[in-house]
Amino acid sequence: MKFGGSSVADAARLRHVADIINTQADRKPVLVLSAMGDTTDHLLEAGDAALKQGKVEITQIENLHQATVKNLKLVREQLTNEPLADGIKPSQKDFNGLLDELKRLLSGIALIRELTPRTKDYLVSFGERLSVRLAAAFFRSVNMNARAFDAFDTGFISNSDYTKAELLKESWDLIPQKILPLIKENIIPVITGFIAKDAKGCITTLGRGGSDLSATMIAASCKAEEIQVWKDVDGILTADPRIVKNARPVQNVTYDEAAELAYFGAQVLHPRAMLPCMKTGTPVLVKNSYNTDAPGTRIENAAVSAKKSPPVRAITSRRNVTLVDIVSTRMLGQYGFLAEVFSVFARNSISVDMVATSEVSVSLTLDAAFDLGEVKKELSKIAQVEVKGGKAIVSIIGNVKRSSEILARAFRICQFIGVPVQMISQGASKVNISFIVNDTEADEVVKALHMDFFDAQ
Ligand code: ASP
Ligand code: MG
């Protein structure tokens, strides 16, 4: 069970989390927690203030944690880990020791005026390390057999790519070796998300939002029944609720569909976090800790998921897209033309999103933020180039095996509302049919498609 920052933001939220865990205590949960609320951001700001102004300022972080301790009626002794059975060590440093260490670290940064990626990881690790100690102390105070652990004491080892470290393969064996004995002792481990240690023994982080990965890694490596990711949304929605008022949670999606949705900014797991579960087929349940009655979204493998679902799972859009049309008669029967085109984009560090090609032309899309001056100059040497701004990608995520049905319905709708489709891409992904319309028409298309696929039945 993973609880994100907003699910553990204060004393009231922690009480609520204890209730959620208690209803499932017989399932032998392992807990993974993020830093409380916006603590990670506040730690980064504190690091910045130390670096640039020589200031040691952690009032906000201290206040939040101390207020929560007080509100939960915890005293100093409770914030220390109780010793465990043979050979299993809970985290060594206690809550107050960590707060002191954090201040000393910031004084160090303020003095030497240097903040390397390695030190940054050490700095932000305090968020998760404080939150698990506080939460475990509180859970014990309400008679749960909880113990706090730093992830690196439970088998999380990574490379030294600070701020975006990758877990090493060894973690797959080490994590269950450390965690399963705890479960056997009926302990509820409360483990830090987001952090690990490298071979040199330095603390690393897995990138922002990395706690999801910590949790899926534990679930997959320990062969858990399922992983529950507790967030502050009802799960994955059928559309962006700002565009479609009656968007609703999707009950089932496949790992692939969830990964496509993440690209469109849906509030789900980072595709990286899904990898361990995809490997083992462990289902992921995304639940709302603010609305526990909502069924949430279940992410699982295709075979299980397909049985239960309609052809379309969700409709998304991405605005502010530029379409580039490249036409060259030289392309006919030639080789190397596409390579030449893409190398121009590569040289200019421009990432291309959608592509469609015919024998003599290529259309591709990219984010409108890119400056295309240089690219246009270079491409014009080998082809006719037309750059069209003000476009949007509309994507239908669903079962592409039923693509004829989906396409027929989608294009009938576009025709009906008088919106011409300007480019289509289907086939590369097994779960996504995308097309381009004018940016100004995107919301209308999404609304109309949503109505047809979800409301008209
Ligand atoms: N606390 C970290 C962050 O805010 C990790 C996480 O919440 O997943 O990015
Ligand atoms: Mg967070």
Side-chain angles (χ1 to χ4, degrees):
M1 301 174 84
K2 182 256 169 173
F3 294 89
S6 68
S7 299
V8 294
D10 55 31
R13 301 308 306 158
L14 279 166
R15 284 199 186 92
H16 185 61
V17 166
D19 290 340
I20 294 175
I21 299 162
N22 269 325
T23 61
Q24 305 190 54
D26 54 332
R27 295 180 75 188
K28 298 189 181 285
V30 175
L31 310 184
V32 173
L33 304 188
S34 288
M36 293 178 68
D38 295 326
T39 300
T40 307
D41 291 327
H42 295 152
L43 283 164
L44 288 167
E45 282 157 24
D48 223 44
L51 177 71
K52 295 196 181 128
Q53 299 152 37
K55 250 180 27 194
V56 177
E57 165 65 51
I58 58 159
T59 347
Q60 217 173 357
I61 297 167
E62 231 178 348
N63 286 351
L64 170 67
H65 289 83
Q66 298 296 14
T68 309
V69 166
K70 211 168 138 201
N71 195 318
L72 294 173
K73 301 194 171 54
L74 298 172
V75 294
R76 201 185 175 97
E77 296 74 60
Q78 286 172 299
L79 282 161
T80 348
N81 270 306
E82 285 151 36
L84 296 180
D86 328 321
I88 306 169
K89 272 200 235 130
S91 298
Q92 295 299 299
K93 230 174 223 123
D94 76 7
F95 182 82
N96 293 296
L98 278 181
L99 274 177
D100 290 342
E101 189 181 325
L102 171 59
K103 278 182 224 158
R104 287 205 306 280
L105 172 61
L106 286 168
S107 309
I109 295 168
L111 279 175
I112 56 175
R113 295 296 180 98
E114 189 178 79
L115 182 52
T116 61
R118 187 177 82 184
T119 307
K120 225 178 213 174
D121 275 359
Y122 175 27
L123 174 66
V124 292
S125 76
F126 284 89
E128 269 70 9
R129 292 158 80 202
L130 286 167
S131 89
V132 293
R133 285 158 175 80
L134 206 170
F138 166 61
F139 295 153
R140 282 196 298 273
S141 78
V142 292
N143 292 323
M144 290 159 65
N145 196 16
R147 298 285 187 286
F149 292 91
D150 291 322
F152 41 77
D153 291 331
T154 63
F156 277 82
I157 50 169
S158 74
N159 64 13
S160 301
D161 203 358
Y162 300 107
T163 73
K164 46 179 183 309
E166 305 256 356
L167 293 172
L168 301 185
K169 272 208 290 301
E170 291 92 304
S171 292
W172 277 90
D173 293 327
L174 288 170
I175 293 169
Q177 270 170 35
K178 300 279 186 188
I179 291 179
L180 294 179
L182 299 168
I183 308 286
K184 256 196 205 117
E185 301 250 354
N186 286 319
I187 287 162
I188 302 179
V190 187
I191 302 173
T192 56
F194 186 44
I195 63 174
K197 262 188 187 174
D198 65 9
K200 288 173 265 183
C202 298
I203 295 180
T204 59
T205 65
L206 310 176
R208 290 307 302 266
S211 296
D212 287 345
L213 174 61
S214 313
T216 53
M217 190 61 197
I218 293 175
S221 68
C222 293
K223 303 197 169 67
E225 254 169 59
E226 73 178 12
I227 149 138
Q228 298 176 357
V229 178
W230 291 84
K231 304 210 164 228
D232 54 6
V233 290
D234 277 348
I236 300 175
L237 299 180
T238 49
D240 183 338
R242 285 166 303 188
I243 301 173
V244 179
K245 278 207 198 70
N246 61 342
R248 45 181 166 276
V250 187
Q251 278 183 12
N252 295 277
V253 293
T254 65
Y255 299 114
D256 293 334
E257 288 163 350
E260 293 276 352
L261 283 162
Y263 165 79
F264 288 93
Q267 275 271 14
V268 271
L269 302 198
H270 192 278
R272 216 163 45 113
M274 248 140 14
L275 287 177
C277 293
M278 287 170 90
K279 211 166 142 181
T280 55
T282 315
V284 181
L285 186 58
V286 182
K287 290 274 287 177
N288 189 353
S289 74
Y290 287 78
N291 180 16
T292 47
D293 290 337
T297 296
R298 212 176 163 78
I299 311 173
E300 57 202 340
N301 69 40
V304 187
S305 181
K307 279 189 208 129
K308 310 181 210 169
S309 294
V312 169
R313 309 299 173 93
I315 294 159
T316 62
S317 59
R318 190 175 167 106
R319 300 191 50 180
N320 258 318
V321 166
T322 297
L323 179 65
V324 183
D325 284 331
I326 303 158
V327 182
S328 169
T329 41
R330 272 180 49 198
M331 196 170 153
L332 193 67
Q334 281 297 328
Y335 50 83
F337 181 75
L338 284 179
E340 241 174 281
V341 167
F342 284 109
S343 71
V344 171
F345 285 99
R347 268 201 303 282
N348 289 281
S349 307
I350 291 175
S351 130
V352 171
D353 296 327
M354 270 170 72
V355 186
T357 90
S358 77
E359 282 296 339
V360 294
S361 67
V362 193
S363 292
L364 40 83
T365 70
L366 28 96
D367 200 288
F370 289 116
D371 175 8
L372 290 178
E374 190 52 35
V375 165
K376 207 174 162 187
K377 221 164 75 194
E378 287 184 43
L379 285 176
S380 296
K381 291 182 199 150
I382 53 169
Q384 282 158 264
V385 186
E386 209 181 327
V387 175
K388 302 172 186 162
K391 306 294 175 192
I393 304 176
V394 173
S395 281
I396 302 176
I397 311 291
N399 183 354
V400 169
K401 286 208 183 96
R402 291 165 73 173
S403 63
S404 301
E405 177 192 342
I406 297 171
L407 285 166
R409 278 172 78 171
F411 292 139
R412 191 171 41 77
I413 296 289
C414 288
Q415 185 196 21
F416 185 70
I417 60 175
V419 171
V421 171
Q422 300 172 35
M423 170 184 160
I424 311 168
S425 165
Q426 189 237 310
S429 151
K430 286 193 273 309
V431 298
N432 169 339
I433 293 173
S434 290
F435 53 91
I436 300 291
V437 298
N438 283 335
D439 193 75
T440 48
E441 296 162 339
D443 286 1
E444 195 193 347
V445 172
V446 170
K447 276 185 204 151
L449 289 175
H450 192 274
M451 180 134 56
D452 189 68
F453 282 110
F454 295 101
D455 297 324
Q457 268 106 18

